[in-house]
Amino acid sequence: MNVLIIYGTTEGQTRKISEWMATHIRRRGYQAELHDSAAPAFDLDLEAYDAFIIAASVHQECHQETVVNFVSAHLEVLDARPSAFISVSLSSVLEGGGMEAQKYVDRLVTMTGWKPRMTLRLGGALRFTEYDYFQQQIVKFIVMKRSAAASKESDHEFTDWNALASFVAKFLQAAV
């Protein structure tokens, strides 16, 4: 089986997640290829793939426009073959954020008309060491009330790698 992983990332955590998935899939004996949704895809032949995993992070309450555009442009093939969606956001892991995180998934699915067979809401990361002063203040304001990690002003990864491994295993099993 040949799996294409399309990702959209702003600060790099979704790329890290996608690279981890590709390695994990290859270790299970399958082929996996990565493609950044922001890179031109002129020579990308979707017919060469048996299954698709789309991963996108949430910023300012929306997934990357490049991911939305990719899904919209390739809806027919995504719906015809096994496909899954991973939404990466801090809302997924913050107390009381589950409904908010699901709202982002629902919005993408509604906007595009896509029907992924599986979805996963996954925590992202805070990269305080990479933020400018104003970004730090915004993150602290938004996150501090719901997580102690923001008060430390250090980088913090919220990704649940075990949940991701389980999700990928279930997806591969269903896709074969």
Side-chain angles (χ1 to χ4, degrees), residues 40-55:
F42 304 118
D43 61 345
L44 191 61
D45 178 16
L46 298 186
E47 296 300 323
Y49 301 96
D50 304 305
F52 304 92
I53 300 175
I54 311 291

Side-chain angles (χ1 to χ4, degrees), residues 46-73:
L46 298 186
E47 296 300 323
Y49 301 96
D50 304 305
F52 304 92
I53 300 175
I54 311 291
S57 60
V58 174
H59 284 269
Q60 298 178 345
E61 300 187 354
C62 295
H63 292 97
Q64 282 82 6
E65 186 176 348
T66 56
V67 169
V68 173
N69 291 342
F70 181 89
V71 169
S72 297

Side-chain angles (χ1 to χ4, degrees), residues 11-167:
E11 296 172 358
Q13 188 66 13
T14 306
R15 179 186 321 102
K16 181 177 179 179
I17 289 166
S18 297
E19 290 169 347
W20 184 95
M21 282 192 295
T23 300
H24 188 72
I25 290 168
R26 290 179 192 126
R27 284 185 184 151
R28 295 176 77 86
Y30 302 107
Q31 296 175 353
E33 187 175 327
L34 288 170
H35 182 76
D36 185 341
S37 65
F42 304 118
D43 61 345
L44 191 61
D45 178 16
L46 298 186
E47 296 300 323
Y49 301 96
D50 304 305
F52 304 92
I53 300 175
I54 311 291
S57 60
V58 174
H59 284 269
Q60 298 178 345
E61 300 187 354
C62 295
H63 292 97
Q64 282 82 6
E65 186 176 348
T66 56
V67 169
V68 173
N69 291 342
F70 181 89
V71 169
S72 297
H74 303 289
L75 183 59
E76 193 172 305
V77 71
L78 291 174
D79 279 342
R81 298 190 184 158
S83 64
F85 179 56
I86 299 173
S87 177
V88 181
S89 70
L90 290 177
S91 298
S92 296
V93 295
L94 296 178
E95 188 176 325
M99 287 178 33
E100 184 178 348
Q102 186 61 46
K103 177 180 74 172
Y104 304 139
V105 172
D106 295 343
R107 181 182 302 141
L108 181 132
V109 169
T110 300
M111 283 175 39
T112 62
W114 181 31
K115 297 171 190 74
R117 294 187 186 176
M118 295 175 63
T119 61
L120 175 66
R121 298 182 322 245
L122 197 61
L126 290 175
R127 305 260 189 252
F128 274 103
T129 58
E130 298 175 20
Y131 299 155
D132 65 25
Y133 174 78
F134 295 105
Q135 288 173 307
Q136 288 178 1
Q137 299 311 307
I138 290 169
V139 169
K140 280 196 259 184
F141 177 75
I142 294 171
V143 180
M144 189 176 281
K145 294 178 184 175
R146 301 192 305 190
S147 172
S151 63
K152 297 176 188 169
E153 295 188 29
S154 61
D155 291 356
H156 188 82
E157 189 173 86
F158 293 95
T159 303
D160 183 341
W161 299 103
N162 291 329
L164 181 60
S166 177
F167 179 84

